[in-house]
Amino acid sequence: MSFIRTGFRELALKLKRQRTRIALRHERRLLQKSEINLGREGTAQAANFPELRNEIVALKKLEQEQKEVALRIARIDEGIKRIEEERQQIAREQANGIAKLEAEKSRFFKSVTRRRAPQRYPNESSARWSGAFRRAKLPIAIS
């Protein structure tokens, strides 16, 4: 029995909340309409006074200019972001390219020095002797 009573109570509360929401929506619409009408009435009254009319026109122009400036700033920010991303991309590509070139250069120099080392000094003693002859500026006679 208490379950049924609780169920009815919950249903009644739900209906009450729903009615309150509907009433709030209706009041909100009425409030918006009255604010719009009040704004129209105010601009209509301001049209009777040339100073106010000029002020209103100036304010509208200012608002329009602010919107245009905001759009320009947004476009410039997007352009700056795009340029920064491109710079970072180019920097990464350059770093990768330099790293590859350095690796190739080191491999090349290692292979060249391996090839030339036996040709210059067939053994350790001839290397010492050729250094001595070079210091003495004598022609190398050791073979």
Side-chain angles (χ1 to χ4, degrees), residues 18-33:
Q18 193 173 17
R19 285 183 190 148
T20 308
R21 264 189 249 121
I22 291 172
L24 280 173
R25 274 192 217 133
H26 180 68
E27 291 298 322
R28 192 178 308 137
R29 276 191 229 123
L30 288 177
L31 181 63
Q32 286 175 346
K33 286 180 183 178

Side-chain angles (χ1 to χ4, degrees), residues 54-71:
N54 293 338
E55 292 282 331
I56 291 172
V57 169
L59 285 173
K60 286 183 180 179
K61 285 182 182 178
L62 180 65
E63 288 176 355
Q64 184 63 32
E65 288 175 1
Q66 285 177 342
K67 288 178 186 176
E68 291 173 1
V69 168
L71 286 173

